[in-house]
């Protein structure tokens, strides 16, 4: 599947909308929610949700286009960045100002994304979800390579 920029943008806004009021859901957790959602949908169906590329990074897989997409969403007034103190560290976060258009997604895709958002929010710190995300990427790519 080729990268669907509009669908990825809607996915990012969806996750930010779902997590805007949750404590401690910074950009690390945002990246991991996107990674695990895309990877698990791929495992189940043989296709990804958006075709996004993920890069092996020090703290686990990170989205290739997330920074650009967040900048666009911010320029459009759909999200705003803020910083939150989480366990004595400054966490970069986003707050969404309106809900996303979810018509681009089927119910299985949204259910998977929503499950990962809830699971990460309830069960993980940024460090623990980063550790969990290392298992696959570290086997298939060198640091800085695409997964």
């Amino acid at each position: 599947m080729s990268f669907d920029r509009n669908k990825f943008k809607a996915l990012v806004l969806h996750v930010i909308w779902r997590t805007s009021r949750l404590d401690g859901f910074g950009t690390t957790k945002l990246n991991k929610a996107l990674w695990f959602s895309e990877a698990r949908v791929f495992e189940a169906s043989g296709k990804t949700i958006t075709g996004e590329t993920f890069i092996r990074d020090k703290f686990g897989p990170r989205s290739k286009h997330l920074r650009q997409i967040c900048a666009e969403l911010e320029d459009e007034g759909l999200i705003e960045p803020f910083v939150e103190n989480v366990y004595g560290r400054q966490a970069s976060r986003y707050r969404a100002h309106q809900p996303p258009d979810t018509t681009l997604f089927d119910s299985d895709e949204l259910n998977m994304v929503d499950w990962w958002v809830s699971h990460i929010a309830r069960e993980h710190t940024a460090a623990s979800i980063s550790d969990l995300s290392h298992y696959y990427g570290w086997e298939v790519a060198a640091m800085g390579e695409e997964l």
Side-chain angles (χ1 to χ4, degrees):
M1 173 180 193
S2 62
F3 178 57
D4 185 332
R5 186 177 191 82
N6 289 332
K7 194 171 183 182
F8 184 69
K9 191 173 184 177
L11 179 61
V12 170
L13 184 57
H14 176 74
V15 174
I16 292 171
W17 175 257
R18 292 284 320 261
T19 61
S20 288
R21 291 175 179 79
L22 298 178
D23 291 337
F25 210 100
T27 55
T28 297
K29 287 185 174 184
L30 172 59
N31 259 298
K32 300 317 174 236
L34 296 168
W35 161 253
F36 279 111
S37 298
E38 292 272 14
R40 294 304 186 251
V41 166
F42 180 78
E43 284 180 347
S45 69
K47 64 179 183 70
T48 63
I49 300 170
T50 69
E52 171 60 327
T53 299
F54 288 84
I55 309 295
R56 179 184 169 179
D57 205 355
K58 178 179 177 182
F59 299 109
R62 69 170 166 81
S63 161
K64 182 176 181 177
H65 298 100
L66 182 60
R67 286 186 185 150
Q68 296 168 332
I69 294 298
C70 286
E72 288 175 22
L73 290 168
E74 187 178 348
D75 289 346
E76 294 167 13
L78 297 173
I79 65 170
E80 70 176 285
F82 68 100
V83 176
E84 177 182 49
N85 187 346
V86 179
Y87 301 115
R89 294 187 175 177
Q90 299 295 90
S92 298
R93 302 242 356 238
Y94 292 99
R95 180 178 296 114
H97 295 298
Q98 71 180 52
D101 174 9
T102 57
T103 60
L104 296 172
F105 306 99
D106 65 38
S107 62
D108 290 339
E109 291 170 335
L110 283 177
N111 288 338
M112 184 66 73
V113 173
D114 291 345
W115 188 90
W116 277 104
V117 166
S118 295
H119 175 71
I120 291 169
R122 281 190 332 266
E123 305 293 331
H124 288 280
T125 64
S128 70
I129 196 62
S130 290
D131 289 345
L132 184 64
S133 71
H134 291 180
Y135 74 94
Y136 176 71
W138 271 226
E139 296 172 10
V140 299
M143 192 65 69
E145 288 185 345
E146 294 181 358
L147 298 172

